[in-house]
Amino acid sequence: MTGKLTVVGLGPGSPEQITPEALSAVAEATDFFGYGPYVDRLDLRPEQRRHASDNREEISRAAAALTLAVQGEKVCVVSGGDPGVFAMAAAVCEAMESGPAEWRNIEFAIVPSVTAMLAVAAKAGAPLGHDFCAISLSDNLKPWDVIKKRLIAAAQAGFVMAFYNPVSKARPHQLGQAFDILRTHLPGTVPVIFGRAAGRPDERINVVPLSEAHSDMADMATCIIVGSTETRLINREGQRPLVYSPRSWMAGKA
Ligand code: SAH
């Protein structure tokens, strides 16, 4: 008997940002795998089983979920935000590619959701209105030298950048280094948005110029958006400024 594996995105934190498609996938499943706090967000029936695990155990979690799906269960693997952005959908694909053939033959679906950078961008204005890229600053899965090269290339190419995984206890210094690198390639006036816990009760959005951006302003629940030379502020009385990137790039600028 073959079951089903669905990788479901739960959005950035607000229950209102969970899609109806994600809710139906959750309602249909019997077994739930994911990082503890994400599995805890689910409102499950008594017969639905939780298999919570630590944040770093992505491949073993994917393997356990695939094993149960092959046994005929309806399995859900949950991610915060979108499951395809620095999250479980790719981990499950990695396990499927290298695992037993039966893992590749199950019914498999990925349910998308709102990723952190979109939730933060919407709170700040429209900083992703022109070309942008997303970079994970974690060097757990790639060398820091590669990250540095990508920061420089993105700054030189005029991309707005969204940073995921900006700092952790094990990596306290890299975000400061990233800002130092960017300050040598971009004007200090470029707006930087620190969006923490977007969509959750403890949400905090701060906007500072690149010249004042500091690693203390972020933690692991923060997604940072660094503007381009075109990104600008609209000041408003008694409200946070709107940050936006116009849709067109001024001719002659690189
Ligand atoms: N799949 C997730 C990203 C996982 S990587 C998504 O699509 O959003 C984890 C990183 O995502 C965190 O370090 C942080 O940079 C960002 N993040 C996740 N939820 C967030 C939220 N509610 N507000 C701001 N950033 C968030």
Side-chain angles (χ1 to χ4, degrees), residues 119-194:
V120 170
K123 293 288 174 171
L128 307 179
H130 193 75
D131 297 347
F132 63 89
C133 63
I135 302 175
S136 169
L137 291 192
S138 167
D139 64 352
N140 288 337
L141 300 170
K142 65 192 166 198
W144 176 241
D145 271 350
V146 168
I147 300 173
K148 286 200 280 193
K149 276 189 200 140
R150 288 181 185 170
L151 292 173
I152 295 167
Q156 288 175 339
F159 286 120
V160 170
M161 291 168 236
F163 296 155
Y164 287 72
N165 301 310
V167 275
S168 77
K169 287 199 186 92
R171 299 180 287 109
H173 306 301
Q174 293 173 343
L175 180 59
Q177 282 182 37
F179 287 138
D180 286 342
I181 291 168
L182 292 178
R183 280 190 275 264
T184 66
H185 294 275
L186 290 169
T189 49
V190 159
V192 179
I193 303 159
F194 291 84

Side-chain angles (χ1 to χ4, degrees), residues 57-251:
E57 293 169 6
E58 281 136 345
I59 281 290
S60 53
R61 180 191 303 152
L66 284 158
T67 303
L68 209 56
V70 166
Q71 289 166 9
E73 302 294 347
K74 305 275 177 246
V75 180
C76 236
V77 173
V78 294
S79 270
D82 181 89
V85 179
F86 306 125
M88 283 308 295
V92 173
C93 288
E94 287 167 28
M96 281 171 116
E97 187 179 21
S98 57
E102 55 188 6
W103 285 6
R104 290 182 283 282
N105 299 331
I106 55 162
E107 195 182 336
F108 180 56
I110 297 169
V111 177
S113 193
V114 177
T115 187
M117 69 176 176
L118 301 185
V120 170
K123 293 288 174 171
L128 307 179
H130 193 75
D131 297 347
F132 63 89
C133 63
I135 302 175
S136 169
L137 291 192
S138 167
D139 64 352
N140 288 337
L141 300 170
K142 65 192 166 198
W144 176 241
D145 271 350
V146 168
I147 300 173
K148 286 200 280 193
K149 276 189 200 140
R150 288 181 185 170
L151 292 173
I152 295 167
Q156 288 175 339
F159 286 120
V160 170
M161 291 168 236
F163 296 155
Y164 287 72
N165 301 310
V167 275
S168 77
K169 287 199 186 92
R171 299 180 287 109
H173 306 301
Q174 293 173 343
L175 180 59
Q177 282 182 37
F179 287 138
D180 286 342
I181 291 168
L182 292 178
R183 280 190 275 264
T184 66
H185 294 275
L186 290 169
T189 49
V190 159
V192 179
I193 303 159
F194 291 84
R196 185 181 184 281
R200 300 184 206 148
D202 50 343
E203 172 182 291
R204 207 174 55 225
I205 310 287
N206 281 327
V207 182
V208 300
L210 178 59
S211 57
E212 291 171 24
H214 195 276
S215 57
D216 287 355
M217 297 169 179
D219 62 10
M220 268 315 263
T222 307
C223 181
I224 300 170
I225 299 179
V226 178
S228 72
T229 52
E230 298 294 288
T231 306
R232 57 188 85 174
L233 297 186
I234 303 176
N235 288 312
R236 303 179 296 170
E237 248 175 58
Q239 294 184 73
R240 225 182 14 242
L242 275 178
V243 187
Y244 92 106
S245 303
R247 292 165 301 145
S248 50
W249 187 265
M250 275 169 62

